[in-house]
């Protein structure tokens, strides 16, 4: 009888230990994802500020009033995915405007802003790559056994990526 009780205690202890280890893996990836989201948010705010700084220079030079109207209507409750998509659209408009009006590149102030803008774009790309890589790690934990049990208990669900390339890669890995 004592052997049975000891066996049950050992099994429960082992299962608890495994649960704690897997839960800690989840917590670590969640911390990484939160940090990446925070970095992306900061870089997106800077991108918005840089785009707003280009508006008066371009408006003055081209005598064009309604430039980048999307910047004025960014919803307060928008998430990073929505803000990223909107700012990407505005960036494309900026580059199109610059391509159509090469005289804009003669402005030293605008060139300096564009250099900062390009550096910021690299920061955003790096932060998004880190986010996507960490989301792959998190989603693998959610999908794989035995961490799938912990995910169910803790109500963790797969997270979205910033682009479809990572989603396709995860689906390929998931099918193996």
């Amino acid at each position: 009888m004592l052997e049975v009780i000891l066996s049950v205690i050992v099994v429960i202890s082992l299962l608890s230990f495994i649960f704690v280890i897997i839960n800690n893996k989840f917590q670590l990836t969640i911390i990484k994802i939160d940090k990446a989201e925070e970095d992306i948010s900061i870089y997106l705010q800077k991108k918005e500020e840089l785009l707003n700084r280009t508006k008066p220079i371009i408006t003055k030079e081209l005598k064009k009033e309604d430039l980048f109207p999307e910047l004025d209507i960014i919803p307060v409750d928008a998430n990073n995915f929505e803000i990223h998509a909107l700012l990407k659209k505005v960036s494309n408009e900026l580059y199109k405007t610059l391509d159509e009006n090469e005289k804009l590149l003669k402005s030293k102030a605008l060139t300096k802003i564009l250099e900062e803008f390009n550096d910021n774009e690299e920061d955003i790309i790096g932060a998004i790559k880190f986010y996507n890589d960490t989301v792959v790690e998190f989603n693998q934990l959610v999908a794989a056994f035995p961490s799938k049990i912990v995910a169910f208990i803790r109500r963790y669900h797969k997270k979205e990526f910033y682009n479809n390339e990572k989603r396709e890669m995860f689906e390929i890995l998931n099918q193996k």
Side-chain angles (χ1 to χ4, degrees), residues 11-158:
V11 168
I12 290 173
S13 297
L14 185 62
L15 290 174
S16 297
F17 184 71
I18 292 170
F19 181 88
V20 168
I21 289 173
I22 293 171
N23 189 56
N24 286 344
K25 285 183 182 181
F26 272 112
Q27 293 305 314
L28 181 61
T29 57
I30 289 169
I31 289 169
K32 287 180 180 178
I33 289 170
D34 289 346
K35 172 67 173 131
E37 286 177 334
E38 183 180 314
D39 289 348
I40 291 168
S41 181
I42 290 168
Y43 294 137
L44 290 176
Q45 287 173 359
K46 182 166 183 175
K47 183 175 185 174
E48 180 183 356
E49 183 251 324
L50 289 168
L51 286 168
N52 277 319
R53 285 176 42 201
T54 64
K55 278 176 71 169
I57 298 169
I58 295 172
T59 302
K60 180 181 175 188
E61 193 67 37
L62 298 180
K63 297 174 182 32
K64 192 175 182 181
E65 281 302 313
D66 197 27
L67 190 68
F68 312 143
E70 296 90 348
L71 286 177
D72 300 327
I73 57 167
I74 296 177
V76 178
D77 61 342
N79 63 34
N80 283 349
F81 292 104
E82 296 165 338
I83 294 171
H84 180 257
L86 188 115
L87 292 178
K88 192 172 193 172
K89 181 180 175 191
V90 174
S91 298
N92 291 338
E93 288 179 40
L94 170 66
Y95 288 126
K96 182 180 175 191
T97 303
L98 292 172
D99 285 344
E100 292 171 353
N101 303 284
E102 290 182 19
K103 65 182 179 180
L104 291 170
L105 296 175
K106 294 179 183 176
S107 166
K108 288 183 182 179
L110 184 60
T111 325
K112 186 174 182 337
I113 294 170
L114 290 174
E115 287 174 14
E116 284 182 60
F117 187 81
N118 289 332
D119 290 343
N120 182 260
E121 281 294 304
E122 289 176 17
D123 291 338
I124 291 172
I125 290 168
I128 287 175
K129 181 180 179 348
F130 179 72
Y131 174 88
N132 284 344
D133 290 346
T134 308
V135 166
V136 166
E137 188 180 329
F138 181 86
N139 287 349
Q140 285 173 338
L141 285 171
V142 169
F145 181 83
S147 57
K148 189 175 197 169
I149 296 168
V150 176
F152 177 76
I153 292 169
R154 301 283 296 187
R155 294 188 178 117
Y156 294 142
H157 302 284
K158 290 181 181 179

